[in-house]
Amino acid sequence: MDFTFSEDQTMLVDSVRKFLMNEVSPELIRELWTRPSGRSRELWSLLAAQGLTGLSVPEANGGMGLNDTDWVLIAQECGYHALPEPLLDTAWAAAGLIAALPDSDFRSQWLSKIADGSARIALAQPQSGLVPDAHWASLILLPQDGALYAVSPQLARLTLQPSVDASRRLFSIDWKTDDAERIATDAKAICDEAFNRSAVAAAAQLLGLAQRMLDLSIDYTAQRKQFGKPVGSYQAVKHHLADVAIRLEFARPVVHRAAYALAHRKPLAAVQVSHAKIAAAEAALLAARHGIQVHGAMGYTWEMDLQIFMKTAWALDAACGDRSFHLARVRDFALAGNAALGPAHTFEE
C-alpha cells in the first residue's frame, strides 16, 4: 500500500487551499449564519467555476472522474476552512452514488448538472433521520427498504431541526413513497458505499478542523503574554498543544487508508472507514477542548474564530453515524476470531 500522494494530487489541493483561503473567511461564515438559507449562491458558483463540483463526475458527463484518494486531501482543506457549502455531499458522495447507477437518462442528466454546478444534491443516511441542506438541494436522494428514491424538495415537507453548528442546516423529511420517484430497486450496496464515502468525508474534514484549531491555538498562545512572556512558552501549554499534534498525526494515515480502501473497493473498507471516523473525531474534539483551555476559556465566545471550527467539529462528530455506531463496527471486526490484527497486518491491502 502506497500512502504517497502524487504530484498532480498535491498541486490540485494546493490550488483548492489558495481558493478557499481567499473566498471562505471567518467573516463570511459569520455572515452566512444570519441568512435564512445559510448558503451563498455566489460561493457555489465560484466552486463550480473552479471545476470542484465535477471532480467525481465521469469524464463522459463533463467531469474529471477522480476517485476517493483524490478527494481526501481536498476534504481536509474544506474542514480547515469550515466550508459551509454542501460541496462534499453533492460532488463526492452523491455524484459517486449516481455514477454507480446503471446507464439511464436520469444518471446522465444529473451527473451533467452536478459537473456544471447547476444541481445540488442532498443525501439521506439510514443512520440518521435528518438530511443536511435539504432546503438548498435540487434533488434529495432517499434510501428506503433497499430501494433508492429521487425526491424533489418541493414534494416533501421539510422541517428545520436545531444544530450546535449554525452552518449546518438539518431537516427532518416527511414524504410518501412514490414508485415514480424510485430510481433503483436493489440499491443497498451502492447506498452503503455512499454512506461510507460520506463518513470518510466527515473524517477528513475533522482532520482539517483539528489542524485549524491547533494553528489558532498556537497563534494565540504566541501572542498572549503573562508575566511578560508568551503563554505558549509555559510547559503546561506546550504539552496541551503537543498532545493535539500527536493525536492528529496518528489519525491522518488512518483517514488516508480508509479513502484508499474505498477507492480500491477493499474488503475491509467499512471497518477502516469507522476507524478513520473515530480517530479523526478524537483528534478534533481534543483540539477543541485544549483550544478552549489555552485560550483562557475565551475560545467558545462569539468574538473568537476558534468557536466556528469547534462547533463544526462537534456537529461532524455526530454526523454520518455517531461514535457508538462506528465503535460497534470496529469492535465486531476486532472480536471476530479470524481478524488480522497487529503490526504485521498494518499495511496489508
Side-chain angles (χ1 to χ4, degrees), residues 221-235 238:
T221 56
Q223 296 173 18
R224 179 80 173 181
K225 293 185 177 179
Q226 194 170 43
F227 306 117
K229 295 171 61 179
V231 295
S233 65
Y234 293 101
Q235 200 69 13
K238 289 180 180 178

Side-chain angles (χ1 to χ4, degrees), residues 186-222:
D186 187 13
K188 184 177 184 311
I190 60 172
C191 288
D192 287 348
E193 186 178 59
F195 167 74
N196 285 327
R197 190 166 286 122
S198 296
V200 169
Q205 289 177 89
L206 285 162
L207 285 184
L209 288 161
Q211 186 65 62
R212 184 63 175 270
M213 289 185 280
L214 178 60
D215 290 349
L216 288 171
S217 297
I218 291 171
D219 287 346
Y220 180 83
T221 56

Side-chain angles (χ1 to χ4, degrees), residues 22-272:
N22 290 327
E23 302 296 339
V24 186
S25 64
E27 290 74 22
L28 173 65
I29 294 171
R30 285 185 173 89
E31 193 266 328
L32 292 178
W33 286 358
T34 65
R35 297 189 190 182
S37 71
R39 297 292 174 260
S40 166
R41 293 189 184 280
E42 296 78 13
L43 179 56
W44 183 263
S45 296
L46 289 173
L47 291 167
Q50 293 291 315
L52 296 177
T53 57
L55 291 182
S56 283
V57 175
E59 293 183 40
N61 300 104
M64 297 177 63
L66 301 186
N67 66 27
D68 303 306
T69 51
D70 299 311
W71 265 110
V72 69
L73 293 180
I74 296 172
Q76 286 177 221
E77 291 302 321
C78 292
Y80 190 87
H81 296 278
L83 176 68
E85 299 297 321
L87 175 69
L88 301 177
D89 289 345
T90 293
W92 188 5
L97 177 54
I98 295 175
L101 295 172
D103 284 336
S104 65
D105 289 342
F106 173 89
R107 179 182 182 277
S108 59
Q109 175 190 355
W110 284 98
L111 284 176
S112 299
K113 287 184 176 181
I114 291 172
D116 66 21
S118 60
R120 295 176 294 271
I121 311 294
L123 180 59
Q125 304 290 356
Q127 288 74 16
S128 170
L130 303 178
V131 181
D133 287 298
H135 69 309
W136 191 240
S138 314
L139 194 70
I140 307 172
L141 298 179
L142 290 158
Q144 181 82 15
D145 299 327
L148 181 63
Y149 295 83
V151 180
S152 168
Q154 287 75 33
L155 299 179
R157 188 171 68 184
L158 310 180
T159 305
L160 180 64
Q161 302 295 330
S163 172
V164 68
D165 177 14
S167 290
R168 194 167 179 80
R169 303 301 166 91
L170 298 171
F171 293 84
S172 56
I173 297 183
D174 185 12
W175 64 292
K176 292 183 179 178
T177 305
D178 187 338
D179 289 346
E181 296 168 333
R182 188 172 58 223
I183 57 174
T185 53
D186 187 13
K188 184 177 184 311
I190 60 172
C191 288
D192 287 348
E193 186 178 59
F195 167 74
N196 285 327
R197 190 166 286 122
S198 296
V200 169
Q205 289 177 89
L206 285 162
L207 285 184
L209 288 161
Q211 186 65 62
R212 184 63 175 270
M213 289 185 280
L214 178 60
D215 290 349
L216 288 171
S217 297
I218 291 171
D219 287 346
Y220 180 83
T221 56
Q223 296 173 18
R224 179 80 173 181
K225 293 185 177 179
Q226 194 170 43
F227 306 117
K229 295 171 61 179
V231 295
S233 65
Y234 293 101
Q235 200 69 13
V237 175
K238 289 180 180 178
H239 281 172
H240 278 317
L241 300 179
D243 288 344
V244 175
I246 291 169
R247 190 73 63 91
L248 187 53
E249 289 309 308
F250 273 94
R252 203 184 308 275
V254 177
V255 177
H256 295 173
R257 181 183 63 173
Y260 178 94
L262 273 180
H264 295 83
R265 300 179 180 278
K266 297 299 178 186
L268 296 180
V271 69
Q272 289 171 347

